[in-house]
Amino acid sequence: MPKLPISLPALRRLLREIESAGGDEQVLAVGGADELAPVLRQQFLRGRAEPEAVRLGGPEGAAVYLHVLTGEAGREDVAMLRRSVRERTPVIVIAVGFRGDVGMIPYALATDIVGVAAGQSFPLETIAAAIAARLGEDGAPLAGRIPLLRDAVCERLVASCARRNALVAAAVWIPGADLPVLALNELRLILRLAQAHGADSARDWVPELAATLGAGFGLRALARELLAFVPIAGWAVKSAVAYGGTRALGETARLRFELAPTRQQDAAERA
């Protein structure tokens, strides 16, 4: 029986870490323009989102804060954005019909500003992508409560993990030394994807974790076989196999979780 690439204590620590970042308290806050903020909140509630997961109000206690801005930032807008910085809450500014330089909006990075032409609907996919980029791995619990964020967050998770594993595989020269790191990254990815799809407990996905470990063994065996044919550029082969294999694992897991019942679907069926 082959030795597991990671120890059971390490796996238990990973499970506890993911479960401790559960999504029950994760909230998306929407504020700013009084006439548009409620509209944006209502649109984020599409797709069986949990009503408590999207609220109107300030950034306090939120996982991310969306501030709808029309025209130049006024005194109240600046005060609200300053509060988000003080609370260390990531902020995304939705600049509607903004004619000035968006880079001049205070307390907001240019990459965290989404422009909307006057009279146009909110670009929800673009906003979701900005949220996913800002939150990174921490966006998984929120996506579990708000399905509209799910595609952007999961794509970010898969792409980030694939790049990370490609770098690890290219940088480690000792045969087999990269296996624990690669396996741990892949297990973390699977758990985060499960969380983004509304899994109540990481332990519910033990079969997926076992399948991930098995696939990892297969990918490393493939890399070893290919190294025999390309001995000089072996680092490139290992990097390519790690990247492609991690992406394949992630996309397969996404499909599996999309077909599985989530807590939002269960709640809707009971209602």
Side-chain angles (χ1 to χ4, degrees), residues 34-59:
D34 293 338
E35 68 280 8
L36 293 179
V39 176
L40 182 58
R41 174 186 179 270
Q42 195 63 37
Q43 292 186 2
F44 267 98
L45 288 175
R46 296 176 180 175
R48 294 175 174 172
E50 298 179 23
E52 301 82 7
V54 188
R55 64 166 170 81
L56 292 174

Side-chain angles (χ1 to χ4, degrees), residues 8-21 191 201-204 206 209:
L8 290 179
L11 180 57
R12 284 196 293 266
R13 285 195 298 272
L14 178 60
L15 288 170
R16 285 197 297 268
E17 176 190 344
I18 301 299
E19 287 187 327
S20 66
L191 289 171
S201 170
R203 289 178 172 83
D204 293 340
V206 170
L209 299 183

Side-chain angles (χ1 to χ4, degrees), residues 138-253:
D138 294 333
L142 191 62
R145 306 190 74 192
I146 307 173
L148 192 63
L149 299 176
R150 191 164 294 156
D151 284 345
V153 168
C154 289
E155 173 56 31
R156 190 83 182 184
L157 288 170
V158 173
S160 176
C161 186
R163 288 194 297 268
R164 191 182 309 121
N165 274 1
L167 290 174
V168 170
V172 178
W173 294 92
I174 301 175
D178 57 347
L179 185 54
V181 179
L182 296 176
L184 193 63
N185 286 341
E186 289 166 354
L187 291 176
R188 178 185 292 274
L189 171 63
I190 299 303
L191 289 171
R192 284 300 195 184
L193 290 174
Q195 195 174 49
H197 284 82
D200 292 320
S201 170
R203 289 178 172 83
D204 293 340
W205 303 103
V206 170
E208 277 68 28
L209 299 183
T212 301
L213 288 175
F217 278 117
L219 290 171
R220 299 328 154 228
L222 173 61
R224 286 193 298 270
E225 293 292 331
L226 291 176
L227 286 176
F229 296 97
V230 194
I232 298 177
W235 62 271
V237 173
K238 289 172 58 183
S239 180
V241 170
Y243 179 86
T246 302
R247 280 215 70 109
L249 285 174
E251 295 300 337
T252 302

Side-chain angles (χ1 to χ4, degrees), residues 82-116:
R82 187 187 299 118
R83 281 167 57 187
S84 68
V85 174
R86 187 171 60 246
E87 294 291 326
R88 297 183 179 180
T89 301
V91 58
I92 304 295
V93 175
I94 316 301
V96 180
F98 201 85
R99 296 182 179 179
D101 182 6
V102 295
M104 298 301 294
I105 297 176
Y107 302 105
L109 300 174
T111 53
D112 295 333
I113 300 173
V114 177
V116 184

